[in-house]
Amino acid sequence: MQETVNRKVYLERLAKMDFDCLVVGGGATGAGAALDATLRGLHVALIEKNDFSSGTSSRSTKLIHGGVRYLPQLHFKLIKEALLERKRLLNNAPHLVKPLKFILPCYKFYEKPFYSIGLTIYDILAGDSGLPSHKLVSRDDAIREIPSIQSKDLKGGISYYDSQFNDSRLNVLLARSAAKEGAVVCSRVELVKIIKTHGKISGAELRDLLTNKVFTVKTKVLVNTTGVFIDEVRKLDDETAHPVLSPSQGIHLVFHKDKLKCKTAMIIPKTSDGRVVFVIPWEDHVVVGTTDTPIKEVSIEPLPKEGEVEFLLKTVNEYLNIQLVKSDVKSVFVGLRPLISPDGNTNTKSISREEVILVSDSGLITMSGGKWSTYRKMAEDLVNKIVLSGKLIPHSSCSTYNYSFPGKEDYSENLYLKIAQNYGLNNETARRLRNYYGGEVFTILKEKPVEILKGSGYFQEEVIHAIKNEFALTISDVLARRLRVLFLDLNLAKEMAKPVANILAKQLGWNTKTKALEEKNFLSLVDSLSKSI
């Protein structure tokens, strides 16, 4: 039986209930902490100013990995922790997290033994991961796996495994699971003011951004997991708080799989800016990223900086037997990294990706840093700090190690065959549905699903499910973070805007003016992204 998200009921509970902790920020860290704390028996509220995963958490490189690039920096603890979490996620959410094979191409005779040493360490740190160890591959095998690879001077390569996932869908499942377990979960709610009693936090003033109504919430602990906006919350707590955020941004370019042909992923280990670049098959497209550009100002919808698109195209073209150009790009997405540097370090490439927890004199708990791969461990550490700092008494210890997410039940790798047979769909669409919803797909689609746009492979029933069960309130919520269309194909997203708006209007009771404004806002976003390429 599927739970139904009732925003009105949650808002009423926010205003009436007393909470052990109020988590502000619904990305991976905040949603993960809300689920962990709720499972421990705490009274938890989770609010998000925009949409769940609307920031950094939906704009990752789509990898759950240990971080091969951290090997030269000797960050073995971070790598081992991430590889352990990778194994857990492969088990807990197999429909969203899947093994992914990589090829590391070698063009010099010494590169195979050199990289093999590093990947041997990677295998050792992974332990009994359930994934194959690295191995040497021949030149012909590398070309067979990645037909678009530059074959000139190619000596072969090394294959190894990590995992790929659907970031925003996992984020939404975290929020949904927290609500299912008893948390009060609400998006489009803003923290306006922090309330203190005798210098210690005792509550917060919130605003419902859909009605502009302001109300008060009582909480023993206030948790700041707002990503690149952590300093804004810290300033609400203490006007003299020293900024600790050193943000950078990374962009990703998306190509159709017929343009950039690769059966497996490829890692480019050497770039002019000191980062690795990935070429990754994803959702029947190919993602190329990422950059690392320090920034001074953060925004809700970041765009590529001057030269970033050109840098990625130049870098990847050196490893391909084709020349990609801007007109080949189907979409672009930009993520801001919420890196914490208390000492003021602005070299974002050298700042550790490990988590940081700060506790203010008033009791505000702030967490940032870290990476998607370790979100569960970060949440565990954060909730431990919440319990200690707030002198709370949980009913149990952390139990997220083997938490099964909605969709895992009845999931199997060949589930897509049953989906294709039941609905008369092609294998490509059936695989997408399997990977998005797992065993829930038959409850969501009912008997005769209707396409949103003929030939698109996306269905009206999915939009209704996103509204009723996944907190979706806008066109962008649906097309960017539930169906991922905006991240894959800007032109298709533009075409689907109106029919999706029609479904939202019917389900949410929009009037003509609201519907027109929502369409205008979404199309403006699409145009901004298109012009940035």
Side-chain angles (χ1 to χ4, degrees):
M1 185 72 178
Q2 287 181 293
E3 73 278 13
T4 298
V5 174
N6 189 322
R7 189 172 185 274
K8 182 179 179 182
V9 170
Y10 282 156
L11 285 170
E12 290 174 352
R13 291 178 183 172
L14 268 177
K16 292 179 181 179
M17 293 174 61
D18 292 354
F19 295 96
D20 291 317
C21 65
L22 169 62
V23 182
V24 183
T29 305
L35 174 59
D36 187 320
T38 303
L39 288 170
R40 297 195 203 192
L42 301 180
H43 297 295
V44 180
L46 170 67
I47 62 169
E48 163 59 43
K49 184 177 179 179
N50 297 291
D51 180 30
F52 297 107
S53 84
S54 57
T56 304
S57 294
S58 66
R59 304 160 194 259
S60 74
T61 313
K62 319 307 176 196
L63 297 178
I64 296 293
H65 61 140
V68 168
R69 78 180 190 89
Y70 302 132
L71 286 169
Q73 302 169 29
L74 306 180
H75 289 168
F76 297 145
K77 179 178 177 292
L78 176 65
I79 295 170
K80 187 172 183 177
E81 183 178 271
L83 289 170
L84 177 60
E85 294 302 320
R86 182 187 71 180
K87 182 179 179 180
R88 286 177 175 146
L89 269 172
L90 282 165
N91 177 65
N92 295 346
H95 50 310
L96 293 177
V97 184
K98 298 181 179 301
L100 179 65
K101 184 179 180 180
F102 281 81
I103 296 289
L104 194 164
C106 298
Y107 291 89
K108 305 290 185 182
F109 72 90
Y110 60 83
E111 288 180 335
K112 276 190 179 183
F114 175 76
Y115 290 130
S116 186
I117 293 171
L119 287 169
T120 297
I121 297 173
Y122 199 64
D123 290 338
I124 293 171
L125 293 172
D128 182 18
S129 67
L131 297 180
S133 299
H134 83 280
K135 68 176 185 178
L136 302 181
V137 296
S138 67
R139 179 179 184 277
D140 289 344
D141 285 340
I143 294 172
R144 191 176 302 111
E145 294 284 351
I146 308 172
S148 292
I149 197 170
Q150 174 57 260
S151 58
K152 184 180 179 182
D153 297 326
L154 180 66
K155 303 294 189 290
I158 304 175
S159 71
Y160 72 96
Y161 277 80
D162 258 317
S163 295
Q164 182 177 65
F165 79 131
N166 192 322
D167 49 10
S168 69
R169 290 211 55 80
L170 179 56
N171 198 152
V172 170
L173 274 193
L174 283 168
R176 181 179 158 194
S177 297
K180 178 184 175 184
E181 301 296 342
V184 174
V185 178
C186 216
S187 62
R188 265 75 185 192
V189 174
E190 177 185 19
L191 173 66
V192 177
K193 181 181 178 181
I194 295 175
I195 299 171
K196 300 176 184 177
T197 303
H198 305 302
K200 296 296 182 180
I201 293 174
S202 58
E205 204 171 86
L206 309 180
R207 177 184 288 115
D208 175 6
L209 294 176
L210 299 190
T211 64
N212 216 32
K213 180 181 178 181
V214 176
F215 57 97
T216 301
V217 173
K218 293 181 181 180
T219 184
K220 295 175 183 176
V221 180
L222 185 64
V223 184
N224 175 15
T225 56
T226 55
V228 292
F229 300 102
I230 57 168
D231 281 337
E232 292 184 14
V233 176
R234 293 176 66 248
K235 287 285 187 181
L236 283 179
D237 175 51
D238 177 4
E239 291 182 355
T240 66
H242 177 72
V244 295
L245 187 75
S246 293
S248 73
Q249 77 170 30
I251 79 162
H252 300 80
L253 303 178
V254 182
F255 302 88
H256 195 274
K257 64 178 181 179
D258 291 338
K259 184 63 183 181
L260 206 177
K261 297 179 180 179
C262 54
K263 298 175 184 177
T264 62
M266 177 170 69
I267 178 172
I268 299 173
K270 295 179 181 178
T271 67
S272 59
D273 80 336
R275 289 184 60 81
V276 300
V277 167
F278 295 104
V279 179
I280 301 171
W282 184 65
E283 301 285 331
D284 287 308
H285 289 70
V286 179
V287 175
V288 175
T290 179
T291 56
D292 193 320
T293 307
I295 57 173
K296 293 182 179 180
E297 296 182 359
V298 298
S299 64
I300 297 295
E301 293 293 349
L303 298 172
K305 300 292 183 183
E306 183 178 356
E308 283 191 297
V309 174
E310 290 80 1
F311 165 79
L312 272 186
L313 287 173
K314 180 178 183 297
T315 298
V316 75
N317 280 337
E318 292 175 358
Y319 286 80
L320 301 178
N321 59 18
I322 57 173
Q323 288 298 294
L324 298 173
V325 295
K326 287 185 177 182
S327 59
D328 295 323
V329 179
K330 303 290 287 184
S331 187
V332 59
F333 58 93
V334 182
L336 304 183
R337 299 182 184 89
L339 304 176
I340 288 185
S341 177
D343 59 0
N345 181 11
T346 58
N347 181 9
T348 56
K349 287 185 282 292
S350 67
I351 296 175
S352 173
R353 266 51 178 175
E354 293 189 75
E355 66 192 61
V356 176
I357 300 178
L358 305 173
V359 182
S360 74
D361 292 340
S362 68
L364 176 68
I365 300 177
T366 298
M367 175 180 257
S368 194
K371 46 192 283 191
W372 243 119
S373 300
T374 58
Y375 89 86
R376 193 215 60 81
K377 182 60 168 60
M378 289 172 64
E380 181 182 357
D381 293 344
L382 179 54
V383 177
N384 288 342
K385 179 65 74 173
I386 291 169
V387 169
L388 182 65
S389 179
K391 297 181 175 61
L392 305 178
I393 303 176
H395 297 168
S396 62
S397 58
C398 179
S399 61
T400 56
Y401 306 99
N402 299 305
Y403 185 83
S404 295
F405 291 100
K408 179 182 177 180
E409 187 178 358
D410 298 326
Y411 172 81
S412 66
E413 279 296 328
N414 63 359
L415 176 63
Y416 78 94
L417 294 173
K418 185 178 178 182
I419 296 171
Q421 183 178 16
N422 274 30
Y423 300 113
L425 304 175
N426 60 43
N427 287 341
E428 183 178 294
T429 300
R431 284 193 179 93
R432 181 189 70 79
L433 290 167
R434 174 200 65 183
N435 294 343
Y436 277 35
Y437 309 110
E440 288 190 300
V441 67
F442 301 109
T443 304
I444 295 168
L445 292 191
K446 311 298 183 186
E447 295 181 2
K448 295 182 180 180
V450 180
E451 281 189 299
I452 299 169
L453 195 69
K454 189 174 182 181
S456 67
Y458 297 90
F459 301 94
Q460 294 181 19
E461 289 80 2
E462 294 180 82
V463 182
I464 295 171
H465 169 71
I467 296 166
K468 290 186 174 181
N469 301 301
E470 296 185 341
F471 312 98
L473 294 169
T474 70
I475 300 172
S476 186
D477 292 356
V478 172
L479 288 179
R481 291 171 289 277
R482 305 306 183 277
L483 301 185
R484 311 317 311 267
V485 179
L486 184 70
F487 283 68
L488 297 169
D489 191 327
L490 293 174
N491 289 333
L492 179 58
K494 196 170 185 177
E495 290 181 50
M496 292 177 68
K498 184 175 286 294
V500 167
N502 291 337
I503 301 170
L504 283 159
K506 183 178 180 180
Q507 294 293 321
L508 299 176
W510 289 351
N511 57 32
T512 304
K513 183 179 178 181
T514 300
K515 178 174 173 288
L517 180 61
E518 285 291 329
E519 285 186 50
K520 180 182 177 181
N521 289 342
F522 182 75
L523 293 176
S524 176
L525 171 61
V526 174
D527 288 341
S528 295
L529 290 168
S530 298
K531 290 175 182 177
S532 73
I533 300 172

